[in-house]
Amino acid sequence: MKAAILLLAAAGAQAQTGDVIPEIKELQRKLGFDHTRNFEHRSDHQRAFYRCYYTGKLELPASYDGLRLKQGTEGCSVDESKYDVFYYPAEAVANGSAPVTTSLAAAPLERVLVVVPHEDFHESREARKAPPPLDEASATLAGFLTAAEFARQRYGETSEVYQNLSREPELFLRKAEIVNRYHAKVSELYAAKLNRETALVQKVRLFVEAQRECEAIQPDPRAFNKCLSAPNNAGLAFDFTYTRHYPRFYELYQSNGRQIGPTLDALRRAFVSNEPRP
């Protein structure tokens, strides 16, 4: 009986995903997103896009571009005794024709509503040549704002889904401030050229502190992980790609009256100078 209920719940979630994706893409069109063929079809055999990021135990790149990468297969064969590893079964990627994977179809509604515009914003003409830290921060904010606007129009301002999504931009700002601060601290530690054993001990202390701070973020976000993707150099470098410029993009959002249309226009203009400006 319990199994049958779970199957029915999963089927309901997938049907809901199928319903809302065309609708949110229509909102994106009205908001000036470039057209993409992402999420126009569902893949019943592709669960996710498998990526295994890794780097040295005392190496901290400035973005995921500096991480080493293996991809294409489920699981991660990298030796974690030699490297810091972040195994990432991504629900979606921005490639212009990304399918709805089975993991995205089964994701919570708030997650789906954020992922679709996030990935589609990557496909804008202005974003395609931008460096990852600008591209990811802008797509992150664009995803939150578009998802919240969709929920407001579709479900109403008093709905739980809108209330949840309307908090995401500020909650991610709190995560961004933590990630950015600890990326600086860990970078300083490695630059100090301490002996390996001392550096590794201090590294563990810093990651424990970062975990404690991010766990204190309340309420819990619905569309993203409030803590590091992995509590190591690979997870910190990956997340820093998304958070490095996010506080300045959030300032830009505030300077535009927290209005979605002017903010999206300002995000696109920011790519011209490769610098977010309020």
Side-chain angles (χ1 to χ4, degrees), residues 25-80:
K25 286 179 74 72
E26 175 59 20
L27 174 61
Q28 291 172 191
R29 184 190 65 78
K30 293 177 180 177
L31 291 171
F33 279 58
D34 289 348
H35 173 71
T36 82
R37 300 192 65 184
N38 291 329
F39 313 116
E40 290 185 353
H41 69 282
R42 179 177 166 184
S43 173
D44 291 327
H45 64 273
Q46 184 158 10
R47 188 177 78 84
F49 297 88
Y50 301 105
R51 294 175 174 176
C52 187
Y53 293 95
Y54 62 105
T55 191
K57 292 289 185 179
L58 296 174
E59 295 175 350
L60 182 59
S63 82
Y64 57 50
D65 263 7
L67 295 170
R68 281 169 274 189
L69 172 64
K70 290 185 177 181
Q71 58 182 334
T73 58
E74 189 168 356
C76 188
S77 61
V78 176
D79 186 347
E80 295 191 36

Side-chain angles (χ1 to χ4, degrees), residues 159-174:
S159 66
E160 181 180 3
V161 64
Y162 172 74
Q163 293 298 319
N164 291 337
L165 287 168
S166 66
R167 291 191 291 260
E168 298 294 86
E170 184 176 354
L171 290 173
F172 193 82
L173 176 66
R174 293 169 61 186

Side-chain angles (χ1 to χ4, degrees), residues 52-126:
C52 187
Y53 293 95
Y54 62 105
T55 191
K57 292 289 185 179
L58 296 174
E59 295 175 350
L60 182 59
S63 82
Y64 57 50
D65 263 7
L67 295 170
R68 281 169 274 189
L69 172 64
K70 290 185 177 181
Q71 58 182 334
T73 58
E74 189 168 356
C76 188
S77 61
V78 176
D79 186 347
E80 295 191 36
S81 68
K82 296 180 179 179
Y83 299 100
D84 277 6
V85 178
F86 167 42
Y87 171 58
Y88 183 29
E91 299 156 324
V93 296
N95 62 14
S97 58
V100 177
T101 61
T102 57
S103 59
L104 182 60
L109 177 60
E110 291 94 340
R111 176 68 178 169
V112 174
L113 293 179
V114 168
V115 166
V116 171
H118 176 109
E119 297 300 334
D120 277 346
F121 196 79
H122 282 309
E123 296 296 305
S124 65
R125 292 182 297 274
E126 299 88 349

Side-chain angles (χ1 to χ4, degrees), residues 29 35 58 67 75 90-91 114 120 124 127 129 142 175 192-193 195 202 204 207 212 217 220 225 232 278:
R29 184 190 65 78
H35 173 71
L58 296 174
L67 295 170
E91 299 156 324
V114 168
D120 277 346
S124 65
K129 294 183 180 180
K175 172 178 179 173
K193 304 296 184 183
N195 69 69
Q202 294 194 23
V204 170
F207 278 102
R212 186 183 305 118
I217 295 174
D220 286 335
N225 177 6
N232 57 34

Side-chain angles (χ1 to χ4, degrees), residues 84 178-179 181-183 185-186 189-190 199-217 226-228 230-233 236:
D84 277 6
I178 294 169
V179 171
R181 180 155 34 85
Y182 278 91
H183 191 279
K185 287 184 176 185
V186 175
L189 170 63
Y190 297 163
L200 288 173
V201 169
Q202 294 194 23
K203 169 192 173 182
V204 170
R205 176 180 58 80
L206 287 173
F207 278 102
V208 168
E209 290 176 1
Q211 182 74 13
R212 186 183 305 118
E213 287 196 37
C214 69
E215 286 178 349
I217 295 174
K226 66 182 180 181
C227 288
L228 293 177
N232 57 34
N233 294 333
L236 181 54

Side-chain angles (χ1 to χ4, degrees), residues 126 130-131 134 249 266-277:
E126 299 88 349
L134 283 172
F249 279 133
L267 290 177
R268 297 183 186 101
R269 290 195 301 271
F271 291 119
V272 177
S273 61
N274 279 353
E275 184 70 19
R277 298 183 184 278

Side-chain angles (χ1 to χ4, degrees), residues 144-162:
F144 290 150
L145 298 184
T146 306
E149 177 62 15
F150 177 83
R152 185 187 69 80
Q153 294 184 20
R154 178 71 149 73
Y155 306 108
E157 292 186 2
T158 62
S159 66
E160 181 180 3
V161 64
Y162 172 74

